[in-house]
């Protein structure tokens, strides 16, 4: 058989003159002969030595077109398959050729059941030129998609140069149904780079998740440790807070209630401060009127079901040493924020939790404040908010409009040097913002007696019991 052109310039195979009647190509259809001629000419155009109907060793197989390297480095069997054949048969023929070191590529015109079972492609024609239209794939956007049509000669040249190989991709676009596809080596490297980037991103995400989980576990362990230390410290303070001599039942109950109250208030504020700091939220500072820290502390206590109100700074009352008190049930003071150490020493201050907005104020207080009364507590119970308050912004007052501030003064500025009133029938008065008014003893603490100090006109001493405004004074108003 040899390839030639007809009178109408149609390429075809023809018998050599004098060929025998049992020629193997005698039963082949014109389409099959034409496809073999296309494969032969395309292989030659791709730079290969090509022959048709080349038998294998011992006649185990026969290649329609055998393309080989002129230097003898490789051989490929190009098979034109247009008749019906099962997938198992075509797989067996391919394996027999490959066993002899000759890989095969199968070609057809129509979608065949065996297409994609073995290395194969489907051909079409564009302007009388053979073109591979199915069986190619390329890698794009993280998946394999259908490749663009490619001229047959270019396809064979890329196969001979090992630039295209067969591959069964895992992640493919919908519609890419063939199992075995021809892909470019560059696309394989692109897929490997993509898989590496995906694996790196997954590894980074897993590592980040693992670090976050470790940090969360470490934070939980640290919080549990801080809770345990706080519990131990509060238990020790509760044990040491009471006096050492014998007390009456009423006094012991009163001291016990003070210890429980201080412990509860300190624990609530410490946990609230720690959680706020762990969440990265800014802590409050005292400010000029004490509203920020006092409001925060009141909210933290009230969220835990403990009533605590504040009414700004006291008006010179030395019982709170110039700090901001928090009042609980029945106007009972439970905490004082930033007291002044030079004015400390009262029984009320010793029975409260002293909350400081920074460590410097706490250190200064503990160094300069006198010890608390021994019948109330052995030492002060303190809590420090771990942050530095911003520096106050100076306020410039124009000379043309001077600022006048009128703050009522209490009867004396050094309460600790004056003894308490011991008169059987004291005549009491207290200085309110509106001025001094007569007051009288009562059974329960009132809001006024919680913030202000009453004095006796007979002896000038401080009255330590609860008192209220006199009905006569209220009627005079």
């Amino acid at each position: 058989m040899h390839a030639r052109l007809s009178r109408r310039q149609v390429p075809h195979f023809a018998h050599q003159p004098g060929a025998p009647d049992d020629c193997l190509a005698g039963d082949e259809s014109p389409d099959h002969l034409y496809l073999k001629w296309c494969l032969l000419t395309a292989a030659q155009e791709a730079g290969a030595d090509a022959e048709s109907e080349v038998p294998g060793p011992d006649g185990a197989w026969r290649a329609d077109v055998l393309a080989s390297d002129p230097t003898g480095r490789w051989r490929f069997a190009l098979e034109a398959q247009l008749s019906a054949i099962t997938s198992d048969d075509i797989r067996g023929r391919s394996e027999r050729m490959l066993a002899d070191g000759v890989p095969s590529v199968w070609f057809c015109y129509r979608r065949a059941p065996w297409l994609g079972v073995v290395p194969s492609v489907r051909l079409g024609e564009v302007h009388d030129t053979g073109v591979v239209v199915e069986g190619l794939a390329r890698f794009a956007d993280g998946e394999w998609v259908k490749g663009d049509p490619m001229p047959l000669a270019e396809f064979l040249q890329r196969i001979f140069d090992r630039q295209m190989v067969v591959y069964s991709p895992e992640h493919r676009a919908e519609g890419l149904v063939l199992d075995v596809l021809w892909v470019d080596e560059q696309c394989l490297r692109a897929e490997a780079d993509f898989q590496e980037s995906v694996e790196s991103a997954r590894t980074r995400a897993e590592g980040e998740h693992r670090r976050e989980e470790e940090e969360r576990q470490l934070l939980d362990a640290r919080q549990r440790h801080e809770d345990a230390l706080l519990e131990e410290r509060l238990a020790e303070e509760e044990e040491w807070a009471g006096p050492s001599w014998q007390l009456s039942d009423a006094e012991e109950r009163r001291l016990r209630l003070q210890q429980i109250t201080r412990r509860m208030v300190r624990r609530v504020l410490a946990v609230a401060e720690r959680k706020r700091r762990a969440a990265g939220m800014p802590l409050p500072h005292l400010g000029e009127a004490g509203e920020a820290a006092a409001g925060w502390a009141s909210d933290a206590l009230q969220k835990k079901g403990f009533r605590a109100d504040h009414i700004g700074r006291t008006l010179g009352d030395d019982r709170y040493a110039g700090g901001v008190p928090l009042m609980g049930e029945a106007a009972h003071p439970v905490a004082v924020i930033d007291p002044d150490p030079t004015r400390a020493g009262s029984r009320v201050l010793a029975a409260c939790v002293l909350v400081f907005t920074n460590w410097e104020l706490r250190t200064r207080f503990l160094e300069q404040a006198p010890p608390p009364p021994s019948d109330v507590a052995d030492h002060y119970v303190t809590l420090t908010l771990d942050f530095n308050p911003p520096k106050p912004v100076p306020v410039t007052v124009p000379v043309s409009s001077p600022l006048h501030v009128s703050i009522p003064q209490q009867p004396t500025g050094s309460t600790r040097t004056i003894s308490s009133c011991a008169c059987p029938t004291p005549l009491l008065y207290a200085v309110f913002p509106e001025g001094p008014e007569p007051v009288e003893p009562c059974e329960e603490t009132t809001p006024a007696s919680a913030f202000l100090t009453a004095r006796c006109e007979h002896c000038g001493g401080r009255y330590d019991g609860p008192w209220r405004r006199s009905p006569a004074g209220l009627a005079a108003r």
Side-chain angles (χ1 to χ4, degrees):
M1 297 290 293
H2 68 280
R4 71 179 186 183
L5 296 176
S6 67
R7 295 178 181 177
R8 295 185 179 181
Q9 302 299 311
V10 177
H12 66 281
F13 282 98
H15 289 278
Q16 296 285 356
D21 294 336
D22 58 349
C23 177
L24 295 175
D27 296 332
E28 295 181 2
S29 66
D31 289 340
H32 186 267
L33 294 175
Y34 175 71
L35 180 53
K36 286 201 303 182
W37 181 85
C38 290
L39 296 176
L40 179 67
T41 56
Q44 293 173 346
E45 184 180 348
D49 292 338
E51 297 181 59
S52 63
E53 299 299 331
V54 179
D58 301 328
W61 50 269
R62 179 180 295 272
D64 289 339
V65 176
L66 184 65
S68 58
D69 180 40
T71 62
R73 292 179 303 169
W74 47 261
R75 291 186 300 170
F76 279 92
L78 309 180
E79 295 295 316
Q81 186 64 40
L82 300 181
S83 61
I85 187 174
T86 65
S87 299
D88 293 337
D89 289 343
I90 200 169
R91 188 184 291 112
R93 291 172 59 179
S94 298
E95 291 174 354
R96 286 194 296 271
M97 294 179 184
L98 188 60
D100 291 330
V102 180
S104 59
V105 185
W106 297 78
F107 300 84
C108 65
Y109 286 134
R110 295 176 296 275
R111 173 69 67 83
W114 51 264
L115 192 63
V117 175
V118 294
S120 54
V121 293
R122 183 168 65 88
L123 297 178
E125 281 191 346
V126 177
H127 303 299
D128 297 330
T129 301
V131 176
V132 178
V133 296
E134 187 174 11
L136 305 179
R138 60 184 178 86
F139 189 77
D141 298 330
E143 64 178 358
W144 290 93
V145 299
K146 185 177 179 180
D148 299 329
M150 182 182 299
L152 177 58
E154 180 183 351
F155 172 71
L156 292 178
Q157 184 178 8
R158 294 175 69 84
I159 290 179
F160 298 156
D161 294 339
R162 298 296 193 273
Q163 295 178 0
M164 295 195 75
V165 295
V166 290
Y167 183 59
S168 297
E170 180 179 357
H171 302 286
R172 59 179 68 190
E174 185 178 358
L176 202 63
V177 296
L178 300 184
D179 292 336
V180 178
L181 296 165
W182 289 93
V183 301
D184 196 286
E185 286 283 356
Q186 294 181 354
C187 291
L188 288 178
R189 289 193 292 270
E191 182 191 33
D193 294 341
F194 177 79
Q195 294 295 342
E196 183 179 357
S197 64
V198 171
E199 183 67 20
S200 299
R202 185 182 64 82
T203 302
R204 288 194 300 269
E206 290 179 353
E208 186 67 22
H209 177 72
R210 186 165 51 253
R211 284 192 296 272
E212 291 178 357
E213 183 66 19
E214 292 174 354
E215 291 177 358
R216 186 187 64 80
Q217 294 178 358
L218 182 62
L219 179 60
D220 292 343
R222 185 183 298 115
Q223 291 181 353
R224 289 193 297 269
H225 180 66
E226 291 181 359
D227 289 342
L229 293 179
L230 179 61
E231 192 70 25
E232 293 178 1
R233 187 163 62 250
L234 294 177
E236 292 176 357
E237 292 178 356
E238 180 182 346
E239 181 180 354
W240 297 343
S244 57
W245 58 83
Q246 295 292 332
L247 300 175
S248 65
D249 292 342
E251 291 174 333
E252 186 173 357
R253 285 194 299 271
R254 179 179 58 81
L255 292 178
R256 179 67 175 174
L257 179 61
Q258 287 181 356
Q259 294 169 3
I260 294 176
T261 302
R262 287 190 304 182
R263 180 180 182 184
M264 178 180 178
V265 170
R266 188 182 184 198
R267 179 177 179 82
V268 171
L269 295 182
V271 172
E273 183 269 339
R274 185 199 64 201
K275 290 182 177 180
R276 189 182 182 101
R277 178 158 37 93
M281 301 174 63
L283 291 165
H285 61 278
L286 190 60
E288 290 188 6
E291 294 296 328
W296 169 81
S298 298
D299 293 341
L301 290 171
Q302 290 176 0
K303 288 180 180 178
K304 292 297 182 179
F306 192 96
R307 178 183 173 184
D309 300 321
H310 74 283
I311 318 177
R313 291 185 181 274
T314 55
L315 302 177
D317 194 335
D318 283 336
R319 286 181 298 176
Y320 308 113
V324 180
L326 301 181
M327 294 301 178
E329 298 290 341
H332 176 70
V334 295
V336 178
I337 300 177
D338 282 349
D340 184 359
T342 61
R343 303 168 62 182
S346 68
R347 297 169 57 88
V348 174
L349 201 66
C352 296
V353 177
L354 307 183
V355 181
F356 295 93
T357 51
N358 58 55
W359 286 101
E360 290 76 9
L361 293 177
R362 175 183 179 274
T363 302
R364 174 172 171 264
F365 182 89
L366 295 180
E367 289 177 352
Q368 300 180 9
S374 57
D375 62 333
V376 179
D378 294 337
H379 62 282
Y380 293 105
V381 178
T382 63
L383 174 68
T384 304
L385 302 183
D386 190 14
F387 77 106
N388 293 319
K391 296 181 180 180
V393 180
V395 179
T396 304
V397 181
V399 178
S400 58
S401 58
L403 179 65
H404 299 282
V405 179
S406 177
I407 300 178
Q409 299 294 324
Q410 296 298 302
T412 177
S414 59
T415 308
R416 293 170 300 183
T417 60
I418 301 177
S419 61
S420 300
C421 173
C423 299
T425 56
L427 182 59
L428 305 179
Y429 74 97
V431 178
F432 290 86
E434 298 84 4
E437 295 183 14
V439 298
E440 62 182 16
C442 63
E443 296 180 355
E444 297 182 356
T445 302
T446 62
S449 64
F451 282 96
L452 304 178
T453 302
R455 305 294 181 189
C456 178
E457 293 187 2
H458 293 315
C459 63
R462 183 183 68 249
Y463 184 73
D464 295 329
W467 52 267
R468 65 183 180 184
R469 284 182 170 179
S470 173
L474 292 175
R477 295 178 61 190

